């Protein structure tokens, strides 16, 4: 049940940034397809960490390019 609650929180944050994570949107590149600057990607990741009360390692965050990668890291 906690996973479902976490997924709802994740979906809410992505919607605030205008990113649809259902369908092809979850595989879109932040910079190329969604045209997001690194600052906004960092802000998105910060908000996700804050909502879920988790902190991702900096070296793993540096390699994130798609919403799917963020979700996988947060759910693992």
């Amino acid at each position: 049940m906690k996973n479902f609650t976490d997924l709802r929180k994740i979906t809410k944050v992505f919607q605030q940034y205008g990113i649809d994570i259902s369908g092809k949107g979850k595989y879109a590149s932040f910079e190329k397809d969604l045209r997001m600057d690194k600052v906004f990607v960092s802000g998105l990741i910060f908000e996700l960490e804050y909502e879920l009360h988790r902190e991702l390692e900096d070296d793993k965050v540096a390699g994130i390019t798609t919403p799917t990668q963020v979700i996988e890291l947060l759910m693992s």
Side-chain angles (χ1 to χ4, degrees):
M1 190 60 141
K2 180 172 175 7
N3 285 340
F4 182 71
T5 304
D6 288 348
L7 284 173
R8 288 180 64 187
K9 289 178 182 179
I10 290 169
T11 302
K12 177 183 148 194
V13 173
F14 273 107
Q15 285 177 346
Q16 289 174 346
Y17 276 77
I19 301 170
D20 182 25
I21 58 170
S22 62
K24 293 181 182 179
K26 61 185 165 195
Y27 300 112
S29 168
F30 285 122
E31 292 181 18
K32 293 178 184 173
D33 299 326
L34 300 174
R35 300 187 187 272
M36 290 179 69
D37 290 334
K38 289 190 181 273
V39 173
F40 292 109
V41 175
S42 296
L44 169 67
I45 293 170
F46 172 79
E47 286 191 43
L48 289 165
E49 290 174 330
Y50 181 78
E51 281 291 321
L52 298 176
H53 306 289
R54 298 188 72 189
E55 188 173 342
L56 299 175
E57 297 175 22
D58 290 335
D59 60 334
K60 291 183 180 180
V61 170
I64 292 175
T65 58
T66 65
T68 302
Q69 291 173 326
V70 177
I71 295 167
E72 288 175 357
L73 282 175
L74 288 169
M75 298 304 290
S76 62

